[in-house]
Amino acid sequence: MDKLIYLDNAATTAVKPEVFEEMKPYFLETYSNPSSVYAFAQKSRRVVEDARTSIAGMLGAKAGEIYFTGGGSESDNWALKGCAQALEVKGRHIITSAIEHHAVLHTCQYLEKHGYEVTYLGVDENGMIRTEELEAAIRPDTVLISIMFANNEIGTIEPVREIGAIAKKHGVLFHTDAVQAFGHVPVNVDEMNIDLLSASAHKFYGPKGIGFLYIRSGVKPVSLIHGGAQERARRAGTSNVPGIAGMAAAARLAVASMEENGKKMAAVRDHLIGRVLNEIPYARLNGDRTERLPNNANFCFRFIEGESLLIMLDQKGICASSGSACTSGSLDPSHVLLAIGLPHEIAHGSLRLTLSEETTVEDVDYVADQLKIIVERLRSMSPLYEDFVKSGK
Ligand SMILES: *Cc1c(COP(=O)(O)O)cnc(C)c1O
């Protein structure tokens, strides 16, 4: 197989050549530590501060509200642990959803072991939280609501604006994990009443290991990383200058072409969804049909194991995923698919295909063709499928 068809862009994306070019001088030439005093350090300090201003502008935020971190997981950990600890005199209750990324869910479980209480809101069959349930879950001791902007497995975009309005009305902080959303769909922290927001460069064609946490001014989560006075003394560690330069370059490109690329990807995605649902029997699309990331398609194929599907697609040069990258390798079905109400046996047969800006109709046609053959082959080996067909149901 010579051609690689990479449809796992929710796991990570390729760094764009222009982004890489922007990063290069900060490895090879301007390698100074931005915290140093000499003029040579000023050059790296400038790129870090320009990046901060530029990213803030894309969110409707102020430069001083952007804190660079080591990526989405760190940002989520900081928002949750930092706010929980900072506000423990007010209360120890947090509200989140059952479909969050593990960076949020496992952090909540950690907090539960340390004396905090967490409410995990369920979702409807499309993966949408119910805002009435959110409002009803708020208690006098609730200090934080953390609901993701868009889901990494099924692509559903949550009603962030309404969530922000509810949080504000009740005087509770609102954090959103926008790792799948920032650079893909419009985000504005003021219009949406977001107090904290996590993002990660490698999900929008930037480098891995760099991200940011937006923290509304006046909000003071306790620090996780202690040491030097970087990031206004709230996140220690020598600044990742090439990473920051790359993230800002990637964000500028992503935001500038967001509308155009979004439309293009949604058209290719809808072509793929149409072919799969029309040509493969007993296939279902997971996630909301319209409130959905433009590059996400997630299916369940009855009588099929997601893992076998992935292996056979891999043999045809197709990179896809079943559940999320963090859970693949384990036999547990995805917590997101269980939360939308799918039974275990159906949740096991899931496939996530996430497109990039470069994915063409030809690419997804090839994938649909291969998928048809593979699903048929796997089902022909399944006694359950044979019984099902015989029973004529
Ligand atoms: C990828 C991802 C993360 C983790 O980000 P990293 O930068 O890989 O640590 C968190 N949340 C969501 C929704 C993600 O998709």
Side-chain angles (χ1 to χ4, degrees):
M1 194 63 222
D2 29 353
K3 196 178 175 190
L4 184 78
I5 298 192
Y6 183 78
L7 292 186
D8 202 15
N9 288 279
T12 197
T13 57
V15 170
K16 282 186 181 160
E18 309 94 288
V19 169
F20 181 62
E21 286 307 319
E22 290 263 352
M23 295 174 70
K24 241 162 100 181
Y26 303 102
F27 287 112
L28 303 176
E29 296 150 30
T30 312
Y31 51 81
S32 51
N33 187 325
S35 306
S36 299
V37 291
Y38 33 79
F40 182 41
Q42 243 168 49
K43 282 190 169 179
S44 17
R45 196 147 61 233
R46 171 138 345 117
V47 73
V48 169
E49 294 317 315
D50 285 352
R52 206 186 301 282
T53 305
S54 163
I55 287 170
M58 298 174 203
L59 290 169
K62 297 189 280 280
E65 296 174 315
I66 303 297
Y67 294 83
F68 296 122
T69 66
S73 299
E74 185 191 327
S75 297
D76 286 343
N77 270 263
W78 188 10
L80 284 144
K81 292 176 187 163
C83 289
Q85 234 185 303
L87 295 169
E88 62 188 9
V89 280
K90 183 189 167 205
R92 289 178 154 248
H93 179 237
I94 293 166
I95 301 172
T96 188
S97 82
I99 63 163
E100 298 296 311
H101 188 274
H102 284 139
V104 167
L105 285 182
H106 290 167
T107 302
C108 285
Q109 286 164 14
Y110 166 86
L111 287 169
E112 282 180 299
K113 283 200 203 111
H114 288 82
Y116 295 86
E117 252 188 278
V118 182
T119 298
Y120 299 90
L121 297 175
V123 291
D124 69 14
E125 69 279 10
N126 296 323
M128 203 69 89
I129 72 142
R130 300 176 186 87
T131 48
E132 327 79 75
E133 258 175 42
L134 166 67
E135 191 156 23
I138 297 174
R139 320 189 308 208
D141 61 341
T142 306
V143 291
L144 181 70
I145 294 168
S146 181
I147 306 281
M148 68 200 320
F149 204 113
N151 184 267
N152 48 299
E153 291 188 36
I154 57 174
T156 301
I157 299 173
E158 298 298 329
V160 174
R161 199 178 291 262
E162 287 93 309
I163 298 167
I166 291 169
K168 190 176 183 180
K169 179 174 147 198
H170 292 270
V172 177
L173 291 179
F174 173 35
H175 164 251
T176 189
D177 173 341
V179 174
Q180 292 290 334
F182 179 74
H184 298 270
V185 293
V187 178
N188 185 295
V189 291
D190 279 345
E191 286 169 14
M192 298 171 172
N193 288 310
I194 296 164
D195 296 305
L196 303 105
L197 176 143
S198 306
S200 179
H202 76 101
K203 302 293 175 77
F204 52 89
Y205 313 99
K208 294 168 183 56
I210 183 76
F212 67 85
L213 180 66
Y214 157 80
I215 308 175
R216 182 175 291 284
S217 63
V219 176
K220 296 210 152 51
V222 165
S223 294
L224 287 191
I225 317 281
H226 299 98
Q230 292 89 355
E231 300 301 303
R232 289 176 302 289
R234 292 171 85 174
R235 197 279 190 183
T238 302
S239 311
N240 176 355
V241 182
I244 291 167
M247 175 162 65
R252 279 191 287 264
L253 290 169
V255 170
S257 55
M258 187 156 63
E259 209 183 312
E260 188 192 327
N261 278 324
K263 275 191 194 139
K264 196 178 112 191
M265 282 192 292
V268 180
R269 174 202 67 188
D270 290 342
H271 175 76
L272 171 66
I273 292 174
R275 281 206 56 192
V276 169
L277 296 183
N278 287 329
E279 299 175 34
I280 303 179
Y282 314 112
R284 69 162 263 151
L285 177 72
N286 300 311
D288 200 273
R289 200 72 182 79
T290 52
E291 293 303 306
R292 180 182 201 101
L293 290 172
N295 75 335
N296 174 292
N298 185 305
F299 302 101
C300 279
F301 301 100
R302 289 180 69 186
F303 315 105
I304 291 209
E305 286 284 342
E307 297 293 314
S308 330
L309 201 54
L310 291 188
I311 292 164
M312 292 178 79
L313 286 168
D314 187 29
Q315 287 166 355
K316 298 292 171 192
I318 300 164
C319 303
S321 111
S322 176
S324 65
C326 330
T327 45
S328 55
S330 80
L331 279 172
D332 291 335
S334 140
H335 65 286
V336 176
L337 297 180
L338 295 180
I340 62 172
L342 296 183
H344 277 248
E345 67 276 14
I346 294 181
H348 266 302
S350 76
L351 177 71
R352 179 185 74 181
L353 301 169
T354 45
L355 285 53
S356 82
E357 299 168 8
E358 308 284 320
T359 309
T360 63
V361 171
E362 290 70 41
D363 292 336
V364 301
D365 272 334
Y366 172 75
V367 173
D369 292 341
Q370 292 303 323
L371 205 50
K372 258 168 84 171
I373 299 167
I374 293 168
V375 167
E376 207 173 283
R377 187 171 311 151
L378 287 171
R379 281 182 179 157
S380 73
M381 301 186 292
S382 155
L384 280 174
Y385 186 63
E386 202 182 327
D387 291 350
F388 172 80
V389 172
K390 271 195 203 136
S391 76
K393 274 200 269 180

